[in-house]
Amino acid sequence: MRRIYPDIQDNPDIVQAYAYPEGRPWLRLNMVASADGAAWLKGRSGGLSSAGDKRIFQTLRGLADVVLAGAATVRKEGYGPVPPRDWWGEIRAGRPEVPPIAVITRSLDFDLDDELFTEAPSRTIVITCEAAPHERRKAAARHADVIVAGGESVDLAPAVTELHARGLTRILCEGGPRINAQLAAQDLVDEMCLSISPLLVGGGAARILNGEPSEVSLRLSQVLEEEGVLFCKYDREQSHDRAD
């Protein structure tokens, strides 16, 4: 792997390249897309991935306090608990050995006996709303830490505030596209990490944001490259920073 922007460097330190800024909460999106903007191939993002993308994916998880994902992504991608990595020791010093998964869901339509809820080293978090089925909420609370944010649907702004209140201020969102769109529309995105696969996909695949319109100005801060795959990091334009 090499860095090609803002300077040229072979074998950059990936952990340092994706280190979180100090002293403030930070919400990072991480997505992979084809060259024509598709967020998945044959229904899953894994078809767009590469060895370099997987290394960066694991690095971002190791750096994060919590991994946020929508229920559709969790089901489609077959999420389980985040597995510990031996090399995470230093970057997770003073924190649990793995970050918890936080699942956004209105329906709570999960198998609560799944390993995501029964075997997670860090207790899984479920983010739902007041309109969620009451009995399902009670059942979920026996297996997970439940956050209720919003009335008829999940409101991501108070959900993020609740994560911060739990000390989970370095948030890594892995999608999907509808969750990304909601976060952008509510002005909650600080950074976008985008792996661009050298494939043309076409068809009906969604873009990495799919849903509510938004306009968030970003600044390209870094580009890494490996085997034709580009790993772009965009930070929020300073002039558009929201008040903390």
Side-chain angles (χ1 to χ4, degrees):
M1 187 171 290
R2 61 183 181 138
R3 183 161 60 210
I4 58 176
Y5 181 83
D7 57 6
I8 306 295
Q9 181 182 340
D10 290 329
N11 300 313
D13 183 329
I14 302 300
V15 171
Q16 184 59 41
Y18 288 95
Y20 281 87
E22 294 292 336
R24 59 159 295 175
W26 197 257
L27 194 150
R28 163 183 282 165
L29 303 184
N30 182 42
M31 294 293 289
V32 61
S34 66
D36 61 320
W40 56 68
L41 176 64
K42 298 178 181 178
R44 300 186 66 176
S45 63
L48 300 173
S49 190
S50 66
D53 180 59
K54 290 179 173 67
R55 292 203 306 278
I56 290 174
F57 176 86
Q58 295 299 342
T59 299
L60 297 185
R61 283 189 158 194
L63 291 167
D65 291 333
V66 61
V67 176
L68 183 66
T73 294
V74 168
R75 285 189 288 262
K76 185 183 297 183
E77 303 289 344
Y79 271 51
V82 175
R85 306 284 170 174
D86 292 341
W87 58 274
W88 280 358
E90 184 175 344
I91 65 176
R92 295 205 63 80
R95 298 185 294 168
E97 65 174 350
V98 299
I101 300 284
V103 185
I104 301 165
T105 173
R106 184 187 187 280
S107 68
L108 295 168
D109 183 18
F110 290 112
D111 178 0
L112 294 171
D113 292 322
D114 186 83
E115 64 177 359
L116 178 61
F117 300 98
T118 61
E119 299 180 19
S122 293
R123 188 172 170 87
T124 296
I125 299 167
V126 169
I127 300 173
T128 190
C129 60
E130 293 286 354
H134 182 66
E135 290 302 315
R136 294 294 295 171
R137 276 174 55 186
K138 286 175 60 178
R142 293 194 289 269
H143 298 269
D145 180 7
V146 176
I147 293 173
V148 179
E152 289 300 314
S153 61
V154 177
D155 188 340
L156 292 180
V160 167
T161 299
E162 285 294 327
L163 292 175
H164 292 171
R166 288 162 167 76
L168 306 174
T169 59
R170 296 175 176 183
I171 301 173
L172 170 64
C173 181
E174 296 178 350
R178 290 193 178 277
I179 297 299
N180 295 342
Q182 291 173 44
L183 289 167
Q186 293 194 47
D187 204 26
L188 296 170
V189 176
D190 296 297
E191 180 184 300
M192 165 64 79
C193 296
L194 178 62
S195 300
I196 303 175
S197 177
L199 288 172
L200 296 176
V201 172
R207 297 183 300 164
I208 59 171
L209 268 69
N210 183 29
E212 300 179 52
S214 59
E215 186 173 340
V216 181
S217 296
L218 301 174
R219 175 185 64 89
L220 180 64
S221 60
Q222 176 178 268
V223 182
L224 309 181
E225 183 273 337
E226 183 179 86
E227 297 181 347
V229 182
L230 299 178
F231 307 99
C232 303
K233 186 159 79 78
Y234 299 90
D235 299 333
R236 180 185 199 79
E237 282 277 16
Q238 189 69 29
S239 61
H240 289 267
D241 274 357
R242 63 184 182 276
D244 291 333

